[in-house]
Amino acid sequence: MKYFITSVFVISSVLSFGANYQTIAVGGVVKWSTDGGVTDCGCQASSASASDSILVFHPYTFALGYFGLDGEISARLKVSAGITGQVVFEDNVVLDKVSLLVDHSNVIFNGTFDIKSAGQNIGGVFTQNGSTINFKGNFGGKENGNNQGVVTLVSSNVIFDPNLVVKAITVVTGFNSNVTIGNNTEFINSFLLNADGSALSIGNGVRFEHTEFFLYSNNVTFGSNVKFTEKSVVGFGENMNVNIPSSTVFTETTLNFFSPDNLSGAIVNFASGVQLVDCEMHITNGAVANFEDAFIREGSDRNSVITVDGLLDLDGLVSITSTDLTVQSSGIINLIDATNCDFDGSTLNGKNNDADAELICGDSYSPDNTDFNIWENGSWSLGYAPNHVGVLAEIRSNYISGIGGNILCANLYIEEEVSTTISERGFIRISQDFNNLGTMTIKNEGSLLLDENTYFHQENGVFKVERVGQLSSMKFNVWSSPIIEVPLLEMFNEANPCDMFVFDAGSQLWGYDFAPGTEVLCTNNPDTIVFTESNVVSGADGFMNPGLGYFIPGNDINAVRVFEGQIHNGEYTQRVKTTNIGANANWPGDDWNLLGNPYPSALDLNLFWSRNAVQNNFLTDALYFWVETVNPPYDAVGSYESWNFTGGTYFYANGKANGVDGIIPAGLGFWAVAKDPNNDGSKTYNVIYDNTMREINQVFGVSSNNYEFKGSDHQRMWVNLTNDSNNYDQVLIGTHPLATDSIDLLFDAHVNYSGEPLLLAMVQDSQYYTIAGYAPRIKVDTSEIALLVVASNTSNHYITVDSSLHYLNEKRIYLVDKLKLTEQELLLGQSQVLDIDSAGRYDDRFYLKVINTHITSVKEIASEMYGRVWSYGNEINYDSFKNAITDISVYDLRGVELFHKKPNNRNDSFMLPLNTNGMLLIRFTDEYNNLLTKRVFIGN
């Protein structure tokens, strides 16, 4: 049944928290009002059910016109029809300084759709929860000035029908969202950001004019005869592998190929027939632009520019006829498979008419490959350290990376008797061939990285890998060896052999890795101990295995351990097991395995987890990192930092946070849980390590972001439980675009509780979690998270929101005590007393109540700066979709600077000084010196 609305909307206000969305609800009535006011817009309510459709078939201008003190939009329109329902606007629709939220709905605009804006007040459309919007008429934002209409997708779809003209809009596609652009549609003066995990389908004959187009998803399809024209910009994000069809034409367009970490750059394949006319190409170090055939030519007076720091691969017919072509290359231009090269009249690296002599068919050009870059007598022959994957490097005299610089090269040769040192937080990365005839020392937090296909002359040279452990023989480390065939008794010769534990996954008990018959003299034991089959693990031989963790005491004299020999390299597998053995008293569950990082470099947690928990489905819950939490001797319980796709918890020692959020340092062991889908203990798996997982960074707390959603839909909040006895525990609550609200053990992690004096956990379905990940929600909604609290003493206990990344941008958090019937808001960094009067276990008493509120609006901040800015109390939040923010200043109306910060990120928050109130001006500067001046009002 379809209902026709021809007269008056029913007047009604909709209660919400933090933002006031008005509602058109198919299931029941149609409601419309301004923020707390009454407006008759000439329409009438319907009694449609949730599965019916509504057809609105005369023009509407939704112009609420209600603003706060700083000019922000305070009233909005919401359409919520249910997935099976439908709202159809038959004629033209105008949003006049209004935002439209589409939730669980199918909305069709048969007429034109226009957004009017004023100043910084940008109208926009937000979709969520499986919604679909279909634009069948032309779409227009504001064309005079820089303001644009905005379409932001969260787990939703947007369809632009064929033959449309779409002007001055920003389209931001979130995870699990899809954009479909129909044939012959034109995008003019617009901005499109297609995030990782989303999909984009571009029809035939689509034209982009003066439009910025940034792709971070591999799920992109191009139709035929797609054109980018008139100063458009196309950016290919890291980790992409995209094919561009033959009929695509780029005219007066800039093409950027990104690779932020020089390791995971975009790979873009251009089919035969693609044309570049008066274009610029910028290929970042680590990125690849591969042309099957290339047509790069001059069409007007504009110069064509090619900048190559990565790889430009030109095969087949290479026709370059632009007499004004400028080539700047510190990377590789591969012409080995090219058959027709014409660079006549072009400039190469500042030399006129030199390109035709250097860029030759059948050859490969790299300026650093013309000779070796040689380190000798304190300097490099080229004047600087090798800095890209095409360099052939040689070290002829002693070298320290902290002095000579980090090295990124194709080949590295180190002569005999030469000492090479990778300094703390330094690195050497080799992509093709590595031969060390001398001695290489890798300092603590240094990294030696070999690519997946690097040929390593493993029999040559000596390696020393230094790692810092506990400066106490009464405290434990969990070690993992980066060196081959390390004998336990020699490596840890001052430690008590009877305290050198390994973990037997099959029995879920501690054991030893000494060959049966090994005799040792243990501390405080006058008799010789002989190890037998009954107390050693299977395959015990006295040597540290690659990829296993070893539980070994520290050193009273020197905390630095030096592993010496040949390094582990390439792929390793380590068996993990499930069992049906009852839970050990010291930890829950029966599928624990003690693993370790086998390499002299960090391991990327995202890549390791994705390979072994997602792709191969071997592991579950999280990775757990053991830390000592009490004074010696021999902490039998400890605590655990945990990490999965939601993020990592943190352990605080001496007031300093050591967070696990992205990497596993060299030499470190960790706990993993083998997946037991049938709960019968019958599964064994081979966990995989390989060179693709190796990571430069060696410091906890810095994430590689390879799988982390690049935006504020990945929100995190860390909540602490402490007491006056300095005990501590923490949980992590987060949202992630791939998580669900039910139990999902890629994003939820059970507590690994060993009897610590304090426990804080979240409860769901009678199970206890230290990490809980939920699906993102923008809708107004309240939820409760049940807590388990275990206290070992009667000192005062406190709950604190320790830190937040985006989470508090859209939410308010309350601590609820259902016994005392109290409710207290938790503000960032401010502790609330937990009202308990005895030691013990507290179930079903304490809860966190989470209220989801709305962001203010999504807007174009300033020229070439897109994002959003909003406040919550004294906390200012920003989220820049495109460029990094490099400078922030806050002024009062007298011009007095109250706050200044120099970040280098796209999204974060900061706290204004206490007692700051009134109207403030905030000036943001991005990495390209674009400016935003934003007004905010901070109340008392």
Side-chain angles (χ1 to χ4, degrees):
M1 180 180 295
K2 182 171 290 187
Y3 287 85
F4 294 85
I5 303 176
T6 59
S7 52
V8 183
F9 278 110
V10 171
I11 306 304
S12 176
S13 296
V14 179
L15 178 63
S16 62
F17 295 92
N20 298 292
Y21 272 87
Q22 315 311 313
T23 300
I24 294 177
V26 174
V29 296
V30 177
K31 301 177 182 178
W32 173 253
S33 74
T34 59
D35 186 24
V38 175
T39 297
D40 183 347
C41 68
C43 305
Q44 183 175 332
S46 166
S47 58
S49 67
S51 61
D52 290 330
S53 298
I54 282 185
L55 176 62
V56 182
F57 71 113
H58 58 263
Y60 286 104
T61 296
F62 298 123
L64 300 183
Y66 180 90
F67 298 96
L69 290 174
D70 64 346
E72 287 299 318
I73 301 167
S74 298
R76 297 164 181 81
L77 178 71
K78 178 177 178 180
V79 175
S80 183
I83 298 300
T84 58
Q86 188 177 81
V87 175
V88 180
F89 292 95
E90 187 66 19
D91 292 317
N92 301 336
V93 172
V94 178
L95 293 185
D96 190 352
K97 299 180 285 295
V98 173
S99 293
L100 170 67
L101 174 67
V102 179
D103 177 55
H104 282 96
S105 297
N106 181 2
V107 179
I108 298 174
F109 295 97
N110 281 327
T112 62
F113 188 87
D114 290 292
I115 295 177
K116 294 184 178 181
S117 307
Q120 293 296 327
N121 300 300
I122 313 302
V125 182
F126 303 83
T127 75
Q128 62 185 20
N129 298 322
S131 296
T132 296
I133 296 184
N134 189 351
F135 295 107
K136 293 181 174 293
N138 295 336
F139 190 119
K142 182 181 179 181
E143 294 187 75
N144 54 325
N146 292 314
N147 295 334
Q148 295 180 315
V150 177
V151 177
T152 301
L153 305 180
V154 178
S155 298
S156 298
N157 310 303
V158 63
I159 300 169
F160 295 95
D161 267 17
N163 304 305
L164 300 186
V165 177
V166 180
K167 294 183 178 181
I169 71 163
T170 293
V171 180
V172 180
T173 308
F175 261 86
N176 296 325
S177 295
N178 302 283
V179 175
T180 301
I181 301 175
N183 297 340
N184 303 312
T185 291
E186 295 186 16
F187 275 78
I188 302 172
N189 295 326
S190 294
F191 174 82
L192 286 81
L193 173 65
N194 200 54
D196 189 14
S198 59
L200 172 64
S201 175
I202 303 173
N204 301 329
V206 174
R207 180 173 173 267
F208 299 93
E209 176 186 316
H210 202 272
T211 291
E212 296 183 63
F213 193 71
F214 288 85
L215 300 175
Y216 289 91
S217 169
N218 283 322
N219 193 4
V220 178
T221 58
F222 283 75
S224 62
N225 299 307
V226 175
K227 294 179 175 60
F228 295 85
T229 67
E230 297 187 29
K231 299 182 181 180
S232 289
V233 177
V234 182
F236 300 99
E238 63 269 24
N239 297 307
M240 288 194 65
N241 193 325
V242 176
N243 298 313
I244 307 298
S246 60
S247 56
T248 309
V249 177
F250 300 89
T251 304
E252 294 188 11
T253 295
T254 300
L255 291 83
N256 296 314
F257 305 81
F258 296 124
S259 176
D261 56 9
N262 299 333
L263 300 175
S264 55
I267 300 175
V268 184
N269 304 300
F270 295 85
S272 175
V274 172
Q275 295 189 51
L276 276 71
V277 183
D278 295 338
C279 289
E280 296 187 16
M281 279 195 295
H282 303 285
I283 306 171
T284 306
N285 186 8
V288 177
N290 176 31
F291 287 83
E292 184 175 336
D293 291 339
F295 294 90
I296 303 174
R297 62 186 177 85
E298 182 180 11
S300 65
D301 294 333
R302 177 177 173 175
N303 293 344
S304 296
V305 178
I306 300 177
T307 304
V308 182
D309 293 314
L311 171 61
L312 174 59
D313 195 2
L314 302 172
D315 299 342
L317 176 65
V318 180
S319 178
I320 300 183
T321 61
S322 172
T323 57
D324 295 319
L325 177 65
T326 300
V327 181
Q328 189 71 34
S329 177
S330 63
I332 300 173
I333 300 177
N334 181 17
L335 301 170
I336 291 175
D337 296 321
T339 58
N340 186 358
C341 306
D342 182 5
F343 291 88
D344 188 31
S346 297
T347 298
L348 174 63
N349 288 345
K351 297 180 181 179
N352 292 328
N353 301 315
D354 196 46
D356 206 41
E358 295 287 347
L359 302 176
I360 302 171
C361 275
D363 201 356
S364 180
Y365 172 82
S366 173
D368 288 349
N369 273 351
T370 57
D371 54 10
F372 284 109
N373 197 358
I374 299 170
W375 173 267
E376 191 169 22
N377 299 323
S379 64
W380 288 103
S381 60
L382 296 181
Y384 53 87
N387 62 2
H388 69 80
V389 294
V391 179
L392 307 177
E394 182 176 347
I395 297 178
R396 294 181 178 176
S397 59
N398 293 346
Y399 180 80
I400 300 174
S401 70
I403 298 174
N406 297 322
I407 297 174
L408 177 63
C409 63
N411 295 9
L412 179 62
Y413 179 84
I414 302 175
E415 292 192 352
E416 295 183 27
E417 300 182 2
V418 168
S419 171
T420 302
T421 300
I422 301 177
S423 306
E424 289 191 8
R425 305 195 184 184
F427 70 90
I428 292 178
R429 177 197 166 199
I430 306 111
S431 64
Q432 295 181 17
D433 190 279
F434 178 40
N435 194 350
N436 170 33
L437 299 179
T439 298
M440 176 176 282
T441 300
I442 304 166
K443 292 290 188 180
N444 187 59
E445 296 183 357
S447 289
L448 172 64
L449 296 107
L450 306 181
D451 284 6
E452 187 173 15
N453 297 315
T454 302
Y455 179 66
F456 175 37
H457 302 264
Q458 198 159 16
E459 69 281 359
N460 297 333
V462 175
F463 295 87
K464 298 180 180 180
V465 181
E466 298 182 1
R467 292 295 296 158
V468 176
Q470 297 279 10
L471 188 59
S472 170
S473 61
M474 303 301 285
K475 286 191 172 184
F476 278 100
N477 303 278
V478 185
W479 291 110
S480 180
S481 177
I483 295 292
I484 298 171
E485 294 187 349
V486 171
L488 280 163
L489 291 176
E490 293 181 19
M491 178 69 199
F492 305 97
N493 54 30
E494 83 297 338
N496 182 359
C498 289
D499 288 336
M500 296 183 187
F501 296 108
V502 291
F503 187 73
D504 188 336
S507 66
Q508 291 290 292
L509 295 171
W510 292 108
Y512 296 97
D513 191 2
F514 297 117
T518 300
E519 296 185 9
V520 298
L521 190 63
C522 292
T523 304
N524 299 325
N525 192 328
D527 299 323
T528 298
I529 302 295
V530 179
F531 292 102
T532 66
E533 295 279 359
S534 63
N535 52 25
V536 301
V537 298
S538 175
D541 58 5
F543 292 88
M544 298 181 74
N545 291 15
L548 276 186
Y550 289 77
F551 211 60
I552 298 173
N555 190 324
D556 289 325
I557 300 173
N558 187 358
V560 178
R561 298 282 187 180
V562 181
F563 295 82
E564 183 173 340
Q566 288 294 317
I567 60 168
H568 288 142
N569 179 60
E571 183 172 303
Y572 281 91
T573 60
Q574 178 59 56
R575 179 159 294 189
V576 296
K577 300 178 181 179
T578 64
T579 75
N580 230 0
I581 298 169
N584 186 292
N586 290 328
W587 51 81
D590 53 14
D591 299 314
W592 290 101
N593 291 258
L594 188 56
L595 303 177
N597 178 0
Y599 301 119
S601 63
L603 265 183
D604 187 307
L605 268 172
N606 288 294
L607 295 179
F608 179 83
W609 186 248
S610 181
R611 182 75 171 273
N612 293 294
V614 182
Q615 179 181 335
N616 289 322
N617 216 18
F618 297 160
L619 305 178
T620 187
D621 281 83
L623 302 178
Y624 296 83
F625 298 84
W626 186 89
V627 288
E628 295 255 15
T629 55
V630 299
N631 293 325
Y634 292 153
D635 181 5
V637 290
S639 187
Y640 295 88
E641 299 176 343
S642 308
W643 183 95
N644 63 19
F645 276 164
T646 298
T649 59
Y650 294 76
F651 168 70
Y652 278 70
N654 300 320
K656 180 182 178 181
N658 301 304
V660 180
D661 196 8
I663 60 98
I664 307 170
L668 186 67
F670 56 93
W671 291 97
V673 183
K675 190 164 188 175
D676 192 0
N678 301 321
N679 200 29
D680 59 4
S682 63
K683 296 290 187 180
T684 61
Y685 311 100
N686 286 320
V687 166
I688 298 170
Y689 306 86
D690 64 36
N691 283 358
T692 65
M693 303 173 186
R694 293 168 74 165
E695 169 68 38
I696 290 174
N697 186 9
Q698 284 280 359
V699 185
F700 273 169
V702 181
S703 173
S704 67
N705 290 328
N706 285 339
Y707 284 84
E708 182 178 336
F709 181 64
K710 299 174 178 62
S712 59
D713 276 353
H714 186 187
Q715 305 170 355
R716 286 169 284 182
M717 177 179 68
W718 291 264
V719 179
N720 298 349
L721 175 64
T722 57
N723 62 17
D724 287 340
S725 300
N726 295 319
N727 300 128
Y728 167 91
D729 200 13
Q730 183 181 83
V731 295
L732 167 62
I733 304 165
T735 68
H736 193 286
L738 302 182
T740 66
D741 286 348
S742 58
I743 294 174
D744 180 352
L745 295 181
L746 294 176
F747 300 95
D748 304 320
H750 287 89
V751 166
N752 185 3
Y753 179 56
S754 298
E756 299 95 305
L758 206 61
L759 172 65
L760 178 65
M762 294 164 288
V763 185
Q764 186 171 354
D765 294 344
S766 301
Q767 300 181 58
Y768 305 107
Y769 296 88
T770 188
I771 298 175
Y774 300 92
R777 294 190 296 274
I778 297 179
K779 65 182 180 182
V780 176
D781 151 90
T782 301
S783 58
E784 287 188 340
I785 301 172
L787 299 177
L788 166 68
V789 174
V790 178
S792 65
N793 60 50
T794 57
S795 65
N796 291 324
H797 289 71
Y798 310 93
I799 289 281
T800 311
V801 176
D802 175 85
S803 53
S804 170
L805 184 60
H806 299 299
Y807 198 88
L808 292 179
N809 297 349
E810 303 175 8
K811 298 174 174 64
R812 300 178 72 176
I813 312 300
Y814 296 85
L815 175 65
V816 178
D817 184 338
K818 295 202 171 182
L819 178 64
K820 299 290 183 70
L821 300 179
T822 60
E823 183 175 302
Q824 299 170 295
E825 184 168 9
L826 294 176
L827 301 178
L828 188 66
Q830 298 183 20
S831 299
Q832 293 287 359
V833 175
L834 205 62
D835 190 9
I836 58 177
D837 51 17
S838 64
R841 179 187 182 101
Y842 291 85
D843 284 284
D844 199 31
R845 175 174 171 182
F846 297 106
Y847 290 77
L848 295 178
K849 185 170 78 170
V850 181
I851 298 176
N852 295 305
T853 60
H854 289 290
I855 59 176
T856 55
S857 66
V858 179
K859 58 182 69 65
E860 178 186 342
I861 293 178
S863 175
E864 304 300 324
M865 193 190 296
Y866 301 89
R868 49 191 171 186
V869 182
W870 65 100
S871 61
Y872 176 74
N874 275 44
E875 183 181 32
I876 305 297
N877 308 270
Y878 58 91
D879 193 350
S880 175
F881 295 149
K882 184 178 174 186
N883 302 328
I885 300 298
T886 57
D887 191 273
I888 301 171
S889 294
V890 181
Y891 304 90
D892 64 18
L893 294 182
R894 300 169 298 168
V896 176
E897 186 176 72
L898 306 178
F899 177 88
H900 184 246
K901 181 179 182 180
K902 287 185 173 292
N904 187 21
N905 52 33
R906 292 212 320 240
N907 39 51
D908 203 350
S909 63
F910 58 90
M911 297 297 297
L912 295 176
L914 293 177
N915 300 320
T916 301
N917 57 73
M919 186 70 71
L920 305 175
L921 299 177
I922 306 180
R923 188 179 69 183
F924 293 86
T925 306
D926 73 7
E927 57 189 311
Y928 298 106
N929 291 319
N930 298 312
L931 297 177
L932 154 73
T933 299
K934 170 68 179 173
R935 290 187 300 166
V936 298
F937 182 82
I938 304 297
N940 289 317

